[in-house]
């Protein structure tokens, strides 16, 4: 009986960074984790941890490009006996931000898949090019190994057309691929299932509102395990107030800034994506720092927090209406998992919808999924730590672990 490899390397290639994890899918354990950041600069930094030995190594120095970064990652893994040439490695799973409507599930990468990811660059100019670079570099290092794309948008492709379409001429929309795609899909998929487990039920039995609150933030309405609405749109700019992104905005603001403010499209793009949100409102996009400033009586920080929570509360109410029956609201990601004041404020005044948090449970910290609503609450409120890398590894291994993975498998 031949031995089946059980390890999956997960790569998340950003524009100037590569995050990675090596997992053993027999028990979903992490063997190594790391980060390469500031790629292309003289002060590039690689931090690598081998979880089996507890060793952590860090190096600072120029890493020219993603190819050099992945070679450095391969060298670090090899030092721990976990190299890319290991026969235990079953596949490499890649986070790809935008899969459009074409990719509805994890997909083994071939030339046609690469071409389609490339065609989607106009609707994901910040992310898809970096994702492609990571894939091509990994292919060059291990051309014999299955490479799997797991798409941020895939979980949201179950949205009905009434939720996914914008109210513009459908011929123009179709020509330029304008529709609501949604993002953070691996997180929403993982957290919605984990919330069902926390309630002792199957995903098919529960309706969940997932609030992924990090520097980027998104909400989703999940009915019976399928996404029916989400806050991000054609790009990750729509929806909630975020660390540096504005979220929902009257489109005419853009025309006004161009015509009256004399700003270029690039300047407006930078303003809305990188200099808005919490940062634009008060100069900080770290919720811990904003809360510290509020405690000191800073009015700008308090207003930024109030705007953030107001938008969040609107989406919770809207998704209660979309779902009809809500079994749980789950907070996740950096802010959702750690900022008790955000969770408290988000559901304050929503008792009529069955939502409330227990102050003591909400204030307690922990790494495991947990309920923070009072006993007997009509709607469970939960904190569910997300694990996007495990989700990518799980989807990748499910596709290739049998050794019979289809290529370009999508519908």
């Amino acid at each position: 009986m031949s031995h089946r490899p059980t390890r999956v390397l997960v790569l998340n290639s950003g524009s100037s960074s590569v995050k990675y994890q090596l997992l053993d899918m027999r028990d979903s354990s992490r063997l190594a984790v790391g980060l390469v950041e500031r790629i292309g600069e003289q002060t590039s930094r690689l931090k690598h941890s081998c979880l089996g030995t507890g060793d952590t190594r860090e190096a600072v120095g120029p890493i020219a490009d993603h190819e050099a970064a992945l070679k450095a990652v391969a060298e670090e893994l090899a030092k721990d006996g976990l190299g890319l040439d290991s026969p235990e490695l079953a596949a490499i799973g890649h986070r790809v931000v935008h899969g459009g409507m074409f990719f509805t599930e994890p997909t083994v990468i071939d030339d046609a898949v690469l071409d389609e990811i490339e065609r989607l660059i106009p609707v994901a100019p910040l992310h898809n090019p970096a994702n492609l670079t990571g894939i091509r570099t990994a292919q060059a290092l291990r051309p014999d190994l299955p490479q799997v794309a797991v798409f941020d948008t895939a979980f949201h492709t179950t949205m009905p057309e009434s939720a996914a379409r914008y109210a513009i001429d459908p011929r123009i929309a179709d020509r330029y691929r304008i529709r609501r795609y949604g993002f953070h899909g691996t997180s929403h998929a993982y957290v919605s299932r984990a919330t069902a487990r926390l309630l002792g039920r199957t995903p098919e039995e529960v309706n969940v509102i997932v609030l992924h609150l990090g520097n980027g933030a998104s909400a989703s309405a999940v009915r019976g395990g399928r996404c029916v609405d989400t806050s991000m749109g054609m790009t990750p700019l729509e929806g909630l107030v975020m660390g540096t992104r504005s979220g929902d905005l009257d489109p005419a603001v853009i025309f006004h800034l161009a015509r009256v403010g004399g700003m270029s499209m690039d300047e407006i793009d930078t303003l809305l994506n990188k200099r808005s949100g919490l940062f634009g409102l008060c100069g900080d996009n770290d919720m811990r720092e904003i809360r510290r400033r509020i405690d000191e009586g800073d009015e700008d920080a308090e207003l930024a927090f109030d705007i953030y929570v107001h938008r969040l509360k609107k989406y919770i109410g809207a998704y209660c209406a979309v779902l009809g029956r809500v079994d749980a609201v789950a907070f996740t990601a950096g802010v959702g998992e750690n900022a008790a004041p955000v969770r408290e404020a988000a559901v304050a005044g929503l008792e009529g919808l069955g939502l409330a948090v227990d102050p003591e449970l909400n204030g307690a910290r922990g790494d495991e999924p947990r309920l923070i609503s009072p006993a007997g609450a009509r709607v469970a409120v939960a904190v569910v730590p997300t694990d996007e890398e495990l989700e990518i590894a799980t989807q990748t291994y499910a596709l290739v672990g049998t050794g019979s993975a289809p290529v370009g498998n999508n519908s």
Side-chain angles (χ1 to χ4, degrees):
M1 182 175 162
S2 62
H3 174 71
R4 235 176 70 185
T6 58
R7 294 176 185 168
V8 174
L9 176 64
V10 174
L11 293 178
N12 182 351
S13 300
S15 57
S16 61
S17 67
V18 174
K19 296 178 188 173
Y20 63 95
Q21 290 194 13
L22 181 67
L23 298 94
D24 190 324
M25 300 314 295
R26 287 176 296 187
D27 56 3
S28 300
S29 61
R30 283 167 177 76
L31 304 176
V33 302
L35 168 67
V36 187
E37 54 186 347
R38 298 195 291 270
I39 294 171
E41 299 180 23
Q42 291 298 307
T43 56
S44 306
R45 175 173 166 266
L46 189 156
K47 184 175 182 181
H48 173 90
S49 298
C50 176
L51 303 185
T53 62
D55 290 343
T56 295
R57 299 185 291 274
E58 196 166 329
V60 177
I63 295 176
D65 51 29
H66 282 72
E67 182 178 357
L70 279 181
K71 286 180 177 174
V73 169
E75 288 172 11
E76 292 301 319
L77 289 167
K79 290 176 187 176
D80 299 320
L82 303 169
L84 293 192
D85 58 352
S86 168
E88 295 295 324
L89 192 59
I92 298 177
H94 297 267
R95 179 196 181 209
V96 179
V97 167
H98 214 310
M101 290 303 294
F102 190 68
F103 298 108
T104 62
E105 56 191 39
T107 305
V108 176
I109 297 164
D110 62 7
D111 289 344
V113 172
L114 286 172
D115 288 346
E116 184 62 20
I117 295 171
E118 194 156 12
R119 277 195 288 271
L120 286 161
I121 285 175
V123 289
L126 300 177
H127 298 95
N128 275 30
N131 301 157
L132 278 168
T133 301
I135 291 168
R136 287 178 171 136
T137 304
Q139 284 180 322
L141 290 172
R142 277 299 303 270
D144 59 311
L145 200 66
Q147 312 265 341
V148 175
V150 178
F151 298 91
D152 269 17
T153 48
F155 183 65
H156 304 302
T157 57
T158 56
M159 283 193 294
E161 287 292 276
S162 56
R165 285 276 185 181
Y166 292 111
I168 66 173
D169 185 329
R171 292 166 298 182
I172 292 175
D174 291 345
R175 185 183 311 154
Y176 299 107
R177 301 182 183 222
I178 298 170
R179 62 185 289 120
R180 301 184 61 250
Y181 295 102
F183 299 89
H184 296 143
T186 51
S187 177
H188 287 280
Y190 178 87
V191 170
S192 59
R193 288 202 309 272
T195 302
R197 281 198 302 273
L198 181 64
L199 300 180
R201 299 163 75 180
T202 67
E204 293 73 25
E205 293 177 301
V206 297
N207 292 351
V208 184
I209 297 172
V210 178
L211 304 171
H212 177 108
L213 308 179
N215 193 48
S218 60
S220 68
V222 183
R223 177 184 292 126
R226 293 166 63 85
C227 177
V228 295
D229 206 349
T230 193
S231 59
M232 284 180 168
M234 185 180 88
T235 76
L237 181 58
E238 189 180 357
L240 302 174
V241 174
M242 305 176 220
T244 65
R245 297 182 195 130
S246 65
D248 291 339
L249 187 80
D250 179 349
V253 170
I254 296 166
F255 314 146
H256 183 80
L257 290 174
R259 292 168 181 158
V260 180
M263 294 177 69
S264 70
M265 284 297 115
D266 286 345
E267 288 172 328
I268 296 170
D269 191 325
T270 299
L271 172 70
L272 299 182
N273 275 295
K274 297 181 179 178
R275 305 197 61 81
S276 293
L278 293 170
F279 178 79
L281 289 166
C282 71
D284 267 310
N285 60 329
D286 187 320
M287 187 59 73
R288 294 164 296 190
E289 183 64 15
I290 290 170
R291 290 303 310 176
R292 184 193 66 75
R293 287 171 55 184
I294 290 171
D295 291 342
E296 293 177 354
D298 188 311
E299 292 183 0
D300 289 343
E302 186 165 7
L303 179 59
F305 182 84
D306 289 346
I307 293 170
Y308 180 95
V309 169
H310 178 76
R311 183 83 52 83
L312 185 56
K313 196 172 290 195
K314 279 172 66 174
Y315 269 91
I316 293 171
Y319 287 171
C320 284
V322 167
L323 291 170
R325 187 198 84 241
V326 177
D327 299 296
V329 173
F331 289 88
T332 194
V335 174
E337 293 169 30
N338 297 300
V342 170
R343 298 191 297 259
E344 179 184 8
V347 302
L350 300 183
E351 293 82 6
L353 298 175
L355 290 164
V357 297
D358 178 291
E360 189 173 335
L361 293 175
N362 187 41
R365 299 184 72 88
D367 297 327
E368 297 298 318
R370 62 195 188 276
L371 293 176
I372 59 172
S373 43
R378 191 166 89 238
V379 178
V381 180
V383 177
V384 180
T386 192
D387 198 332
E388 294 175 88
E389 288 79 15
L390 176 57
E391 180 69 18
I392 291 169
T394 300
Q395 292 191 27
T396 297
Y397 193 65
L399 193 57
V400 306
T402 60
S404 59
V407 174
N409 178 34
N410 50 71
S411 56

